Amino acid sequence: MEFSELIRTGRAQAQLLRGPEAPPLRGTLCVTGHHLLLSPGPQSTPDLWLLLLRSVDSIEKRVAGDSGTITLRCKDLRVLQLEIEGVEATLDIARSIEALSSLESVITSFPFFYRPKGLRLGDSWHFLPPERYYKRVARETDAWRLSEVNEDFGLCPSYPRAVIVPRAVDDDVLARSARFRQGGRFPVLSYSHAPSGTVLLRSSQPLTGPQKRRCAEDEELLRAVLAGARPGARGFILDTRSAQAAKQARMTGGGTEAKAAYPGWKRLHRPLERGRPLQESFVRLVEACGDPEQSMDRWLSRLEGCRWLAHVKEALSTACLAAQAMEREGACILVHGAEGTDSTLLVTSLAQLILDPMSRTIAGFQELIEREWIQAGHPFQLRCAHSAFSQARPKHEAPTFLLFLDCVWQLGRQFPLSLEFGEGLLLALFEHAYASPFGTFLCNSEKERCLCEVRTRTHSLWSGLNQPKEQRKLRNPLYVLNPLAIWPSVEPQSLRLWQGLFLRWTHPPEPAEVAWEKVWQIVTGREETEGSQPTASA
Amino acid sequence: MASSSTSKYNSHSLENESIKRTSRDGVTRDLSEAIPRLPGETLITDKEVIYICPFNGPIKGRVYITNYRLYLRSLEMDMRNLRFALKQEGHSRRDMFEILTRYAFPLAHSLPLFAFLNEEKFNVDGWTVYNPVEEYRRQGLPNHHWRITFINKCYELCDTYPALLVVPYRASDDDLRRVATFRSRNRIPVLSWIHPENKTVIVRCSQPLVGMSGKRNKDDEKYLDIIRETNRQISKLTIYDARPSVNAVANKATGGGYESDDVYHNAELFFLDIHNIHVMRESLKKVKDIVYPNVEESHWLSSLESTHWLEHIKLVLTGAIQVADKVSSGKSSVLVHCSDGWDRTAQLTSLAMLMLDSFYRSIEGFEILVQKEWISFGHKFSSRIGHGDKNHTDADRSPIFLQFIDCVWQMSKQFPTAFEFNERFLIIILDHLYSCRFGTFLFNCESARERQQVTERTVSLWSLINSNKEKFKNPFYTKEINRVLYPVASMRHLELWVNYYIRWNPRIKQQQPNPVEQRYMELLALRDEYIKRLEELQLANSTKLSEPPTSPSSPSQMMPHVQTHF
């Protein structure tokens, strides 16, 4: 496909307004296949302003006289205004942006063209989390094995090629169990907590249906889990739906594990909001944060009305429950909702951050995201197609991953020393999940990424982020390894609005980066001054 | 087990903490004794009790009552002290109750406040922190337009003002006496702060005694004009009346009022809509109701909103920003008053000064600010707090000073590198605002303190703080000269000070505070080393070069930026 067909006008004179902080920028505006460029012209600063078209969430045009205004609302919640000379030019540019920012095809997207200096294709894609993680598990226990039963994605299209399963069950049992679980997502190991000898598993709902079907192999699999854990371990099935919703799911072929069929396992219901209501909560919150007319006296009740912080609380407390059951009660946990690709991952990944000091390092956190979100089949492309500004009715969009990042931010706020990374990394992940020059968050599953050859034809976000020049923005200068579990307080008084994200573009008093930079100076200052000698040269 | 309520898991994380909580405020604990005691503290009685803890349920222990505090030593969980602030009903045996009442409210039982019995010794004397002459000299006073007067040496002009005042050079002492007759409680307009460059000033006073009949006073009118003329460029003097206009009008009925345009031609008056002490008291009461003993859960944010506490904070900050902005722009000098000029006025002048003058953001600078604008200018601490008094429904009580400290905390949240002190510093000030262990906040005004010989007979809170400054330092502090801080006084950027208001509730805490504080101490040490090293390098450089090099992060280059979104 030729992008040029979609570009109505190549260029126009324009002025860019970037909010109250930055000065306006004047120059020549260009639309290319993937970018909007503003070049200020030769006489002034050579700074080129660049916007990835993919990050445009909604566009609004207005014309008056012989000029026009385009308002771009971006997926990272920024709002930009372009004042363009010429009515035709305005309309053409608006149409071009509209067409180019909503291209559906993955292989024409920018990551397939992005070739930054200093990075080599293929770098950092060698992260093979299930395999790598298995090595760690195998050092602690031999109750688990790495199975390649899903080698060709035949058993489960949303799982990676390799999964970690109980050593005692063979691949045929897995295949049978897969048929009994929605989307083939049979129970697999998510995290092994060596100190308590317990494990965290995830899956999708069992397809019991109205007749309450059973599956002997599925039951065998869960039996083997308990047998491989610490002696006498019990199990809890943490269903992220309400008991009623789980029961209702039977009518459409789903359901939940019958008590009698799984001895040793007990079911708990912790309903977490997902899908549409979660997206709507996100939209309402962003609306409230950006509303200049908002009568400020009603801010707190409006914030409460958005329910976002209530979702944060629910997610964190469910993760705490899972972590607590493992560490304190020595129980094994299986988490699932319906499809097992959203709130399930939210709970398993947060529980690991609470329990596992490794996952709180930069490398460990990246691995956690790769393993528990990307490879675990969170459908990023569907969920992050639009952010909070889109006028279109949400179909599959949901800010589950953002909710995860927010929960991590709350952990970081409550435990300022225990995470090796800072807000900068969380903000970067939010931006890149919605629009990115890197291939990491492309597609909905490992299978799709293989079909598109993402690994060989795009750069990995991790190689981009792990460059030395990015480190100061991402690392937490106060970090010290904390070998303990970090139990957050989930009382509403302990949770805050993530200002760094939701109020990022509206007048921050003293940006967090200033304090951050200060800490870096202190922490690294000694070496610097020691390194530099007084110079007398002019 | 896991099916139990989700909140249970975090109660565990606190066990370590309560065990480790040792002396928080420099009290040395002698383990051979039953309880730690301050020099001068004597044990009155002790008894086995069961404390009904609102958070953890009943706890067996022994209660000790001294002439300073109530101490509960738990038999189950090592030590844990409870101050007077936590009154509990679990052991209302009659004699215990009486002893407790007597020592909790000594004034009602003709006993001295503990501050007069306290025999603590410190290696620095906090009473010397504030010397008005030195502070005014730091501001460049006296100068051609402003003079220091001792007219109030014996508190004859105004019994609630300090002995030393700064007034316009051109106003004679007789002028001052005549102006005093027209100002509520004789609190005449006097200088609080002068801008080092543009020479505009912040002046404070009480309301004019206009009354229903609209009385005028030529001397007052002339005096305000003299203040305006101390700065040539100024055509109008700006008057900020802290009250809502309705209240200002209503005050005419009791003889007060405000400066109307048709009488004070060269002045412009604005009302700042800050409510009175009664509204603030009721608002804080509502905050207490939603956080103690049970924390409101299901509708936390809307309950918090309905207390209006943050809204009041917003209005106070907004007012102070306006004062600071006016003075910093050099467009006008500012006169601030409310009714009596000792509550809202003190809040506004001190917060504006904190925004304008980086000196007050250091530990000693802040002590001077409190000593000057609050203590010496007669904020009625004794009436507002009710030290040693049993009448807790007294309408004179109000958390005005607490509200000021809350505003300072909000500012320090928004500018994490601008203040030398940390949150602990603010909390210890508030703890001893109520404790009566130090003389600093006792009595209503300087004249009363002098009569009681407070500086000779009691210890200053600043002695405790300044003898152990490291504990109260912010490791991220960057000293900056001439940077004006404009906090964002929007509801979106204000938050409840959870670490103060809900600090007793174990469920709010996440972590043992120790590692964070320890890391901060390490940072402080690193920073000091870094600064020293940098200075050495600069010194070495400047000896070799004719011009001193600018430091890499020269903070004075930061431009003040106004962000006033209200």
Side-chain angles (χ1 to χ4, degrees):
Chain A
M1 184 199 51
E2 293 294 321
F3 295 118
S4 56
E5 291 166 18
L6 298 170
I7 302 172
R8 305 281 196 109
T9 294
R11 59 186 60 215
Q13 290 303 307
Q15 164 155 288
L16 171 73
L17 306 172
R18 292 175 291 180
E21 300 302 306
L25 217 62
R26 185 181 286 282
T28 309
L29 187 73
C30 285
V31 184
T32 73
H34 295 108
H35 286 100
L36 195 60
L37 301 169
L38 191 81
S39 149
Q43 66 276 29
S44 49
T45 50
D47 286 347
L48 199 68
W49 177 83
L50 198 74
L51 179 75
L52 193 62
L53 287 173
R54 182 80 199 157
S55 63
V56 174
D57 203 28
S58 90
I59 171 165
E60 197 185 298
K61 51 185 185 286
R62 227 178 34 239
V63 289
D66 55 358
S67 70
T69 308
I70 294 179
T71 306
L72 299 175
R73 292 191 167 76
C74 301
K75 288 174 182 163
D76 61 5
L77 311 182
R78 232 180 332 170
V79 178
L80 301 164
Q81 241 180 33
L82 283 163
E83 282 166 7
I84 298 170
E85 289 172 20
V87 172
E88 268 315 289
T90 307
L91 295 177
D92 283 347
I93 284 177
R95 272 184 226 125
S96 314
I97 296 175
E98 243 163 293
L100 289 163
S101 63
S102 55
L103 285 180
E104 301 245 331
S105 148
V106 173
I107 52 162
T108 59
S109 67
F110 184 59
F112 287 86
F113 299 84
Y114 182 52
R115 295 294 176 262
K117 274 191 213 138
L119 296 185
R120 274 204 329 251
L121 271 181
D123 272 2
S124 294
W125 282 116
H126 58 265
F127 255 167
L128 292 170
E131 289 84 341
R132 212 163 117 141
Y133 185 60
Y134 175 68
K135 280 188 193 149
R136 205 179 132 191
V137 175
R139 278 200 299 273
E140 292 155 358
T141 160
D142 64 350
W144 297 85
R145 70 186 179 94
L146 194 68
S147 165
E148 296 193 348
V149 65
N150 200 39
E151 173 82 71
D152 56 355
F153 306 108
L155 222 50
C156 172
S158 61
Y159 271 173
R161 292 177 197 274
V163 289
I164 306 172
V165 295
R167 184 172 298 282
V169 296
D170 59 31
D171 285 356
D172 291 341
V173 172
L174 300 179
R176 295 262 181 176
S177 170
R179 257 173 263 150
F180 184 62
R181 296 275 172 177
Q182 183 175 359
R185 294 175 70 92
F186 53 94
V188 295
L189 182 91
S190 163
Y191 170 61
S192 161
H193 186 247
S196 65
T198 60
V199 289
L200 182 63
L201 305 158
R202 52 178 161 74
S203 71
S204 62
Q205 63 178 341
L207 300 173
T208 55
Q211 299 89 16
K212 302 191 186 173
R213 286 196 303 131
R214 290 175 58 168
C215 169
E217 289 80 2
D218 193 73
E219 293 162 17
E220 186 188 336
L221 203 166
L222 287 189
R223 215 167 29 242
V225 169
L226 292 187
R230 82 178 171 94
R234 291 176 300 160
F236 288 98
I237 295 169
L238 194 58
D239 194 323
T240 63
R241 302 163 295 177
S242 67
Q244 200 196 359
K247 202 175 267 177
Q248 268 171 4
R250 278 200 220 129
M251 305 315 293
T252 49
T256 186
E257 292 82 353
K259 208 174 169 186
Y262 297 87
W265 289 87
K266 192 182 161 195
R267 224 171 56 229
L268 297 171
H269 292 276
R270 283 288 176 278
L272 294 181
E273 206 62 89
R274 67 198 82 207
R276 269 282 278 288
L278 196 59
Q279 178 71 10
E280 280 162 8
S281 166
F282 175 41
V283 170
R284 275 202 305 275
L285 177 60
V286 170
E287 221 171 70
C289 289
D291 187 352
E293 306 300 317
Q294 164 81 18
S295 150
M296 278 305 151
D297 308 338
R298 305 284 301 153
W299 163 250
L300 289 174
S301 47
R302 187 160 174 195
L303 180 60
E304 182 176 283
C306 295
R307 309 247 332 121
W308 181 260
L309 287 172
H311 300 318
V312 170
K313 177 188 158 86
E314 288 310 317
L316 274 174
S317 53
T318 307
C320 283
L321 178 69
Q324 181 198 28
M326 291 172 73
E327 203 210 29
R328 301 261 160 79
E329 322 257 341
C332 294
I333 304 283
L334 167 65
V335 184
H336 72 70
E339 293 151 309
T341 53
D342 291 279
S343 38
T344 301
L345 306 180
L346 185 63
V347 173
T348 58
S349 52
L350 285 173
Q352 291 179 54
L353 276 165
I354 291 168
L355 291 174
D356 182 11
M358 279 294 289
S359 69
R360 298 178 221 136
T361 62
I362 289 204
F365 187 62
Q366 291 179 356
E367 196 190 309
L368 181 76
I369 287 175
E370 185 73 34
R371 181 164 51 85
E372 286 298 286
W373 287 90
I374 297 169
Q375 307 237 6
H378 177 66
F380 278 98
Q381 204 186 335
L382 291 173
R383 297 291 180 260
C384 301
H386 284 289
S387 166
F389 290 123
S390 171
Q391 306 293 323
R393 251 175 101 79
K395 291 192 288 271
H396 303 289
E397 287 85 351
T400 322
F401 187 63
L402 171 61
L403 184 60
F404 164 71
L405 295 175
D406 196 332
C407 292
V408 178
W409 179 83
Q410 307 280 352
L411 283 175
R413 206 190 67 81
Q414 295 192 18
F415 300 90
L417 312 182
S418 299
L419 305 184
E420 196 188 8
F421 48 91
E423 188 177 45
L425 179 62
L426 302 177
L427 290 174
L429 290 172
F430 164 66
E431 277 175 34
H432 286 285
Y434 278 87
S436 173
F438 296 98
T440 296
F441 289 111
L442 287 180
C443 304
N444 294 307
S445 64
E446 204 49 28
K447 181 183 182 187
E448 288 181 24
R449 277 186 287 274
C450 280
L451 287 173
C452 298
E453 299 173 84
V454 168
R455 271 164 194 269
T456 48
R457 295 177 55 198
T458 74
H459 285 285
S460 157
L461 172 64
W462 311 127
S463 68
L465 290 181
N466 292 336
Q467 293 176 88
K469 61 173 181 176
E470 303 288 332
Q471 294 306 296
R472 266 208 183 194
K473 271 188 278 176
L474 310 179
R475 279 180 187 272
N476 173 7
L478 297 172
Y479 173 72
V480 276
L481 176 76
N482 176 356
L484 305 170
I486 52 173
W487 302 104
S489 163
V490 296
E491 305 301 310
Q493 291 78 15
S494 305
L495 303 175
R496 296 275 179 292
L497 176 69
W498 185 3
Q499 294 198 348
L501 185 116
F502 293 106
L503 298 177
R504 187 178 178 188
W505 311 106
T506 52
H507 52 266
E510 182 172 79
E513 295 98 73
V514 176
W516 213 244
E517 184 52 36
K518 175 75 198 150
V519 182
W520 272 117
Q521 268 178 29
I522 296 168
V523 174
T524 57
R526 202 169 38 151
E527 296 124 56
E528 274 172 26
T529 51
E530 271 164 11
S532 71
Q533 291 301 315
T535 48
S537 59
Chain B
M1 107 85 257
S3 56
S4 63
S5 89
T6 52
S7 50
K8 239 195 154 172
Y9 50 78
N10 55 26
S11 62
H12 282 273
S13 56
L14 287 144
E15 285 175 3
N16 290 346
E17 192 226 344
S18 43
I19 290 166
K20 278 187 193 147
R21 176 177 297 164
T22 49
S23 49
R24 314 173 350 110
D25 40 10
V27 184
T28 45
R29 173 174 286 136
D30 185 355
L31 287 173
S32 61
E33 272 197 296
I35 54 158
R37 273 188 296 163
L38 296 168
E41 186 178 1
T42 52
L43 183 67
I44 308 292
T45 182
D46 64 293
K47 203 174 195 78
E48 295 262 316
V49 292
I50 291 172
Y51 169 51
I52 313 293
C53 174
F55 312 118
N56 298 334
I59 297 168
K60 255 193 193 165
R62 176 169 282 272
V63 71
Y64 299 85
I65 298 175
T66 72
N67 57 350
Y68 173 51
R69 61 187 137 184
L70 177 152
Y71 206 94
L72 182 79
R73 185 170 177 169
S74 164
L75 300 174
E76 287 164 21
M77 272 211 282
D78 206 69
M79 305 217 196
R80 181 171 235 260
N81 61 357
L82 300 159
R83 304 280 182 81
F84 286 152
L86 292 184
K87 279 185 281 180
Q88 64 294 107
E89 275 79 45
H91 45 78
S92 54
R93 286 282 187 79
R94 209 178 154 71
D95 54 336
M96 289 288 276
F97 182 76
E98 268 167 20
I99 289 170
L100 202 54
T101 338
R102 186 156 354 131
Y103 288 95
F105 312 117
L107 292 193
H109 299 84
S110 2
L111 288 167
L113 291 168
F114 180 72
F116 290 101
L117 306 171
N118 187 358
E119 291 163 13
E120 282 177 275
K121 297 272 182 294
F122 294 97
N123 54 17
V124 289
D125 181 8
W127 291 122
T128 61
V129 162
Y130 177 57
N131 175 335
V133 175
E134 253 172 50
E135 163 58 13
Y136 288 121
R137 191 180 300 139
R138 187 193 65 87
Q139 292 190 24
L141 297 167
N143 64 14
H144 288 314
H145 295 288
W146 296 89
R147 67 186 176 96
I148 289 177
T149 173
F150 293 93
I151 184 176
N152 201 37
K153 193 172 59 195
C154 304
Y155 309 105
E156 277 167 342
L157 179 77
C158 170
D159 60 354
T160 59
Y161 261 6
L164 192 146
L165 299 168
V166 175
V167 295
Y169 196 82
R170 284 177 47 214
S172 70
D173 282 0
D174 284 337
D175 290 339
L176 301 179
R177 283 191 195 96
R178 284 193 296 271
V179 172
T181 61
F182 190 62
R183 290 281 164 178
S184 173
R185 320 229 178 216
N186 303 335
R187 293 172 69 93
I188 60 165
V190 296
L191 181 141
S192 271
W193 190 77
I194 184 163
H195 194 284
E197 273 135 42
N198 67 38
K199 304 294 177 197
T200 53
V201 295
I202 299 176
V203 167
R204 64 181 290 172
C205 60
S206 61
Q207 64 181 342
L209 299 174
V210 175
M212 291 298 266
S213 55
K215 269 189 294 210
R216 292 180 58 171
N217 181 308
K218 286 281 178 217
D219 295 298
D220 193 72
E221 289 162 29
K222 194 181 115 204
Y223 184 70
L224 259 51
D225 225 33
I226 291 176
I227 292 174
R228 178 183 64 81
E229 284 168 0
T230 58
N231 200 317
R232 289 261 152 67
Q233 295 90 34
I234 293 172
S235 57
K236 290 235 183 223
L237 179 71
T238 306
I239 300 174
Y240 285 113
D241 187 326
R243 302 165 292 184
S245 60
V246 191
N247 299 29
V249 173
N251 256 291
K252 286 187 177 177
T254 49
Y258 55 90
E259 299 83 352
S260 69
D261 305 349
D262 34 322
V263 177
Y264 294 81
H265 299 293
N266 295 325
E268 231 176 333
L269 181 125
F270 302 94
F271 293 105
L272 295 177
D273 285 327
I274 302 169
H275 285 279
N276 62 24
I277 59 166
H278 311 294
V279 175
M280 300 309 179
R281 181 179 59 237
E282 294 314 310
S283 173
L284 184 68
K285 235 177 227 168
K286 285 186 198 148
V287 173
K288 190 234 123 208
D289 287 343
I290 62 168
V291 302
Y292 186 89
N294 296 309
V295 171
E296 162 68 45
E297 277 206 42
S298 46
H299 296 285
W300 165 246
L301 290 173
S302 44
S303 315
L304 179 60
E305 184 175 273
S306 67
T307 69
H308 299 290
W309 182 252
L310 289 176
E311 219 179 301
H312 295 311
I313 296 274
K314 182 189 91 169
L315 283 169
V316 172
L317 275 173
T318 306
I321 290 168
Q322 281 174 268
V323 173
D325 189 37
K326 193 63 96 182
V327 170
S328 154
S329 71
K331 287 198 193 94
S332 168
S333 281
V334 170
L335 180 129
V336 183
H337 70 70
C338 45
S339 298
D340 289 318
W342 51 41
D343 292 307
R344 286 166 278 195
T345 301
Q347 288 179 330
L348 290 169
T349 56
S350 55
L351 285 170
M353 286 156 77
L354 199 61
M355 291 170 195
L356 290 163
D357 191 339
S358 57
F359 170 72
Y360 298 123
R361 294 174 219 144
S362 65
I363 287 179
E364 288 212 12
F366 190 77
E367 292 166 359
I368 287 171
L369 183 70
V370 168
Q371 202 74 46
K372 176 178 186 299
E373 289 300 301
W374 290 86
I375 298 171
S376 85
F377 271 98
H379 172 67
K380 303 204 292 176
F381 281 104
S382 170
S383 308
R384 296 288 176 260
I385 307 301
H387 292 131
D389 178 56
K390 66 174 179 182
N391 184 9
H392 63 88
T393 54
D394 191 338
D396 248 2
R397 294 203 184 176
S398 187
I400 300 301
F401 185 74
L402 162 63
Q403 194 173 47
F404 158 70
I405 296 286
D406 193 331
C407 290
V408 176
W409 177 81
Q410 304 280 353
M411 281 178 71
S412 71
K413 272 307 254 195
Q414 295 192 12
F415 299 95
T417 65
F419 295 86
E420 190 192 8
F421 47 81
N422 58 19
E423 186 176 55
R424 257 181 141 181
F425 174 73
L426 298 177
I427 289 180
I428 200 168
I429 290 177
L430 290 177
D431 282 348
H432 293 297
L433 170 66
Y434 303 104
S435 78
C436 299
R437 179 169 146 197
F438 301 99
T440 303
F441 295 115
L442 299 185
F443 304 104
N444 281 333
C445 55
E446 207 176 277
S447 59
R449 257 170 244 122
E450 214 155 277
R451 274 197 304 280
Q452 300 289 338
Q453 297 169 289
V454 167
T455 54
E456 291 97 67
R457 294 171 57 209
T458 72
V459 180
S460 161
L461 168 60
W462 316 130
S463 305
L464 170 75
I465 291 174
N466 294 356
S467 60
N468 194 2
K469 260 192 189 171
E470 290 302 303
K471 243 165 93 179
F472 305 105
K473 277 189 181 169
N474 166 16
F476 312 127
Y477 175 55
T478 312
K479 197 170 176 180
E480 293 171 313
I481 316 293
N482 297 338
R483 181 185 176 200
V484 183
L485 300 185
Y486 292 108
V488 178
S490 125
M491 289 300 285
R492 285 176 209 187
H493 289 90
L494 300 179
E495 46 181 88
L496 186 76
W497 189 6
V498 169
N499 286 352
Y500 178 72
Y501 297 107
I502 325 185
R503 64 176 153 157
W504 303 114
N505 190 326
R507 284 167 67 180
I508 301 305
K509 292 210 180 147
Q510 315 82 27
Q511 194 178 23
Q512 308 87 316
N514 310 0
V516 180
E517 277 170 18
Q518 195 190 332
R519 184 83 174 122
Y520 281 0
M521 295 305 260
E522 285 168 24
L523 277 177
L524 266 175
L526 272 178
R527 193 193 62 160
D528 290 347
E529 208 176 309
Y530 168 54
I531 289 173
K532 213 175 103 202
R533 186 87 190 124
L534 205 68
E535 277 167 3
E536 280 167 18
L537 280 175
Q538 284 175 347
L539 208 68
N541 263 340
S542 56
T543 50
K544 288 181 190 171
L545 297 168
S546 51
E547 283 174 32
T550 48
S551 80
S553 59
S554 173
S556 54
Q557 288 171 0
M558 285 212 182
M559 295 300 288
H561 46 291
V562 193
Q563 297 160 335
T564 35
H565 300 264
F566 305 127

